Amino acid sequence: QVQLVESGGGLVKPGGSLRLSCAASGFTFSDYYMSWIRQAPGKGLEWVSYISASGSTISYADSVKGRFTISRDNAKNSLYLQMNSLKAEDTAVYYCARALWYMDVWGKGTTVTVSS
Amino acid sequence: IVMTQSPATLSVSPGERATLSCRASQGVSSNLAWYQQKPGQAPRLLIYGASTRATGIPARFGGSGSGTEFTLTISSLQSEDFAVYYCQQYNDWPRTFGQGTKVEIK
């Protein structure tokens, strides 16, 4: 079945780095745009970044631009989010989703906590 | 584009009809989706194109609207429908979500 599984979350100090991964299965990963969306504790959803099917087109939310880098490896059916210079306000559950327009498949999420 | 949902909380009895609203700060055509999120779970796509139900979504969920005003209607609430609902525009970048409407048991 179509599935996305995130990993790589954890506790990190302010200013630190973390790399999230998302493993895709059950569909032709290389045909789809992919996105990262996050949800701070008790808050709503915030789109973070997207990457085109080939990886040639990338976009970021202003809140993470210059600090986060999205990438993908179509041979490994995997999506990544490299997060640098982390701040307390980056604390959230991070979801990967299959998406260019609306997000039709979501992973269960991985939790990132930025705290000293 | 700022998406504003109302009300923040909707108290409804099982079997009753629920009507949720979403307003865009500028026109988004029909490029609007609705999601359902239950506690501890990822969001689930309900509606896209403002009115098209996603695969496997029951017919009691209906979407309408275009431009700046949108509505999600749940015709007869079931116990499994009590959740938070988000709208999202995909007419422009960045993609933006509403703040959510919590549908709770009355």
Side-chain angles (χ1 to χ4, degrees):
Chain A
Q1 73 279 23
V2 175
Q3 193 172 8
L4 298 170
V5 179
E6 303 92 337
S7 61
L11 174 63
V12 61
K13 289 181 169 51
S17 297
L18 215 52
R19 189 194 196 207
L20 306 183
S21 299
C22 171
S25 59
F27 65 100
T28 305
F29 180 71
S30 58
D31 284 349
Y32 288 89
Y33 280 60
M34 298 294 295
S35 286
W36 288 98
I37 300 100
R38 69 184 180 183
Q39 186 170 35
K43 302 297 184 182
L45 300 166
E46 179 189 16
W47 171 81
V48 172
S49 181
Y50 91 91
I51 185 167
S52 63
S54 66
S56 59
T57 303
I58 285 171
S59 182
Y60 300 98
D62 286 345
S63 57
V64 307
K65 201 173 294 183
R67 300 188 299 122
F68 289 12
T69 302
I70 191 172
S71 62
R72 66 190 296 160
D73 185 335
N74 286 342
K76 294 183 177 179
N77 291 335
S78 292
L79 175 72
Y80 306 102
L81 187 67
Q82 177 68 42
M83 304 186 296
N84 299 331
S85 303
L86 282 161
K87 306 174 182 180
E89 52 264 40
D90 295 319
T91 294
V93 175
Y94 285 73
Y95 298 100
C96 69
R98 192 173 75 175
L100 170 57
W101 298 287
Y102 49 86
M103 291 77 172
D104 68 338
V105 180
W106 296 66
K108 294 185 188 301
T110 188
T111 300
V112 172
T113 303
V114 184
S115 175
S116 54
Chain B
I1 299 174
V2 177
M3 306 302 292
T4 303
Q5 292 185 241
S6 61
T9 304
L10 188 61
S11 297
V12 186
S13 299
E16 288 188 341
R17 182 185 191 91
T19 303
L20 289 66
S21 295
C22 175
R23 173 177 292 178
S25 61
Q26 62 190 73
V28 298
S29 187
S30 295
N31 298 318
L32 185 107
W34 289 93
Y35 303 87
Q36 176 193 67
Q37 187 178 35
K38 297 179 181 178
Q41 296 186 17
R44 176 175 71 144
L45 176 68
L46 296 176
I47 301 283
Y48 62 92
S51 61
T52 303
R53 281 189 304 277
T55 303
I57 301 303
R60 64 180 181 272
F61 290 92
S64 63
S66 67
T68 61
E69 300 283 343
F70 300 89
T71 300
L72 175 69
T73 302
I74 311 171
S75 59
S76 176
L77 271 158
Q78 307 297 303
S79 57
E80 61 267 29
D81 300 336
F82 293 96
V84 179
Y85 292 83
Y86 294 94
C87 61
Q88 177 235 330
Q89 67 79 22
Y90 50 94
N91 193 66
D92 201 1
W93 295 98
R95 306 310 194 209
T96 47
F97 293 87
Q99 80 279 18
T101 290
K102 181 179 181 180
V103 177
E104 64 176 24
I105 300 174
K106 187 175 183 180

